[in-house]
Amino acid sequence: FRLEIRKRFFARGWSGTGTDCRAVAMKAIYDEALSSFFRNVDTRSAGDGPDIYKGKICSLKARALLIDMEEGVVNEILQGPLRDVFDSKQLITDVSGSGNNWAVGYKVYGCQYRENIVEKLRKTAEHCDCLQCFFIIHSMGGGTGSGLGTFVLNLLEDEFPEVYRFVTSVYPSGEDDVITSPYNSVLAMKELNEHADCVLPIENESLFDIVNKIHHMVNSGKLGSTVKPNSLVTSSAGTTKKVQEKPFDAMNNIVANLLLNLTSSARFEGSLNMDLNEISMNLVPFPRLHYLVSSLTPLYTLADVNIPSRR
Ligand SMILES: Nc1nc2c(ncn2[C@@H]2O[C@H](COP(=O)(O)OP(=O)(O)OP(=O)(O)O)[C@@H](O)[C@H]2O)c(=O)[nH]1
Ligand SMILES: [Mg+2]
């Protein structure tokens, strides 16, 4: 399950995660590419206004649900640069977490939150014109990500049997110090085998190696001056103000870039445009053989490669 990275020094590319949405809102227009992950909402009326389908960005809201059985992580997001793309209708939290126990996530919280999750999923889905796919992004080592994460996967299959389910799973590495993480992963993997259409396994130690490799290359002096600022696959390009980086940020940016690249053919017009279900149609030979090994290139752009700046 290693995330293989091919380094290509002269390749073109971009990195666009961690965007400060208010900064984007001032410059950008809302188009079809943006509409795949975000709604453009008119908030002038009280509460949640109607969607605006074309033209200037009013208020972007992610087509996403954040679910965690403790409040801390979600609260951090709500205080960070992405806070404006989420509102309270998109959050489901509890207080105590699942104690690194798959069964607590799946059986206890699953039963307790089922109705709430289904209702919020339906509301989110109702805003979509053409719902192609769900992305579940979760960890396998703890109790909530593995247990409740795979419970939600089952729920999606029950409620939206026609819609594809792509799962990005963060596997624990050998160094993981949570003693139950291998058990949680195995229990979760049974669900992934049976209910996911595609799984993109990610492993933290590999992400960490990539971050270190990039850091080393950029700071070694050999490449340092020729790398375009903010083009690293690990950096949060587009952020206007300097945000304090958290330990997982660089690693998560790699995953975000991976998902952006994977979905770009579905989000942008052109001859390469295709539906997301074609990914699994072409890459999954048998129903349960649906674990894809990801490669990502380039890791950064060279300063003398000119790419039109992105809106
Ligand atoms: N790549 C990445 N891995 C993470 C992140 N947060 C946690 N992990 C990994 O996830 C595993 C732990 O799972 P958590 O997601 O913290 O646990 P949980 O799902 O909240 O479960 P409970 O704590 O039992 O409620 C460990 O292997 C962590 O290294 C993150 O932001 N990025
Ligand atoms: Mg947690």
Side-chain angles (χ1 to χ4, degrees), residues 200-217:
L200 300 167
I202 305 289
E203 199 246 317
N204 268 343
E205 215 167 276
S206 309
L207 294 181
F208 192 68
D209 286 349
I210 297 163
V211 173
N212 275 345
K213 230 178 255 176
I214 294 177
H215 189 75
H216 184 73
M217 271 189 286

Side-chain angles (χ1 to χ4, degrees), residues 9-305:
F9 295 158
F10 298 102
R12 297 159 34 105
W14 62 282
S15 147
T17 55
T19 311
D20 187 324
C21 300
R22 282 165 306 169
V24 168
M26 288 190 287
K27 287 185 254 171
I29 53 156
Y30 184 76
D31 57 14
E32 257 173 56
L34 197 53
S35 74
S36 45
F37 286 150
F38 296 97
R39 294 194 297 131
N40 189 21
V41 177
D42 186 350
T43 45
R44 279 171 302 181
S45 56
D48 202 6
D51 290 15
I52 305 166
Y53 290 103
K54 282 229 150 45
K56 254 182 84 182
I57 289 175
C58 185
S59 172
L60 284 184
K61 294 288 170 209
R63 299 183 191 278
L65 261 190
L66 306 182
I67 306 176
D68 198 356
M69 293 297 105
E70 64 175 309
E71 295 167 307
V73 183
V74 171
N75 284 343
E76 260 176 43
I77 294 173
L78 295 182
Q79 281 155 23
L82 290 175
R83 61 181 170 272
D84 293 334
V85 294
F86 301 106
D87 60 41
S88 57
K89 297 188 207 90
Q90 293 168 262
L91 314 175
I92 297 175
T93 54
D94 202 298
V95 272
S96 54
S98 306
N100 294 315
N101 186 333
W102 177 87
V104 175
Y106 194 99
K107 301 284 181 187
V108 179
Y109 287 123
C111 294
Q112 196 178 329
Y113 281 90
R114 189 193 161 96
E115 294 310 314
N116 192 350
I117 295 173
V118 169
E119 194 198 316
K120 287 192 165 133
L121 278 173
R122 283 209 192 111
K123 287 248 165 70
T124 313
E126 271 168 20
H127 288 298
C128 300
D129 294 331
C130 169
L131 181 55
Q132 271 189 23
C133 180
F134 289 109
F135 284 93
I136 297 184
I137 304 171
H138 71 143
S139 68
M140 300 283 275
T144 303
S146 69
L148 193 57
T150 51
F151 181 86
V152 171
L153 181 66
N154 275 285
L155 212 55
L156 288 173
E157 190 179 33
D158 287 348
E159 297 290 323
F160 305 89
E162 307 294 316
V163 184
Y164 277 75
R165 295 169 298 280
F166 276 48
V167 187
T168 307
S169 307
V170 179
Y171 279 71
S173 52
E175 307 280 296
D176 202 284
D177 53 2
V178 176
I179 200 155
T180 51
S181 67
Y183 302 94
N184 294 333
S185 302
V186 169
L187 290 162
M189 222 159 122
K190 177 183 175 285
E191 305 299 320
L192 295 185
N193 280 343
E194 286 172 10
H195 305 288
D197 288 298
C198 258
V199 181
L200 300 167
I202 305 289
E203 199 246 317
N204 268 343
E205 215 167 276
S206 309
L207 294 181
F208 192 68
D209 286 349
I210 297 163
V211 173
N212 275 345
K213 230 178 255 176
I214 294 177
H215 189 75
H216 184 73
M217 271 189 286
V218 172
N219 290 327
S220 66
K222 247 199 299 188
L223 282 163
S225 58
T226 54
V227 175
K228 193 170 271 182
N230 267 345
S231 74
L232 299 180
V233 82
T234 49
S235 69
S236 321
T239 333
T240 46
K241 49 182 183 281
K242 196 82 196 136
V243 186
Q244 181 71 42
E245 287 241 326
K246 302 217 173 60
F248 279 122
D249 282 0
M251 286 156 74
N252 288 347
N253 281 337
I254 298 175
V255 181
N257 272 288
L258 184 71
L259 291 176
L260 285 174
N261 290 344
L262 183 80
T263 56
S264 62
S265 55
R267 290 183 293 123
F268 295 99
E269 283 172 31
S271 55
L272 292 177
N273 180 274
M274 59 170 201
D275 286 352
L276 285 170
N277 55 23
E278 285 185 48
I279 294 173
S280 78
M281 210 184 294
N282 290 320
L283 295 177
V284 178
F286 298 102
R288 291 153 68 107
L289 269 183
H290 53 224
Y291 291 82
L292 308 183
V293 178
S294 334
S295 285
L296 184 64
T297 186
L299 301 181
Y300 47 78
T301 313
L302 294 179
D304 55 3
V305 178

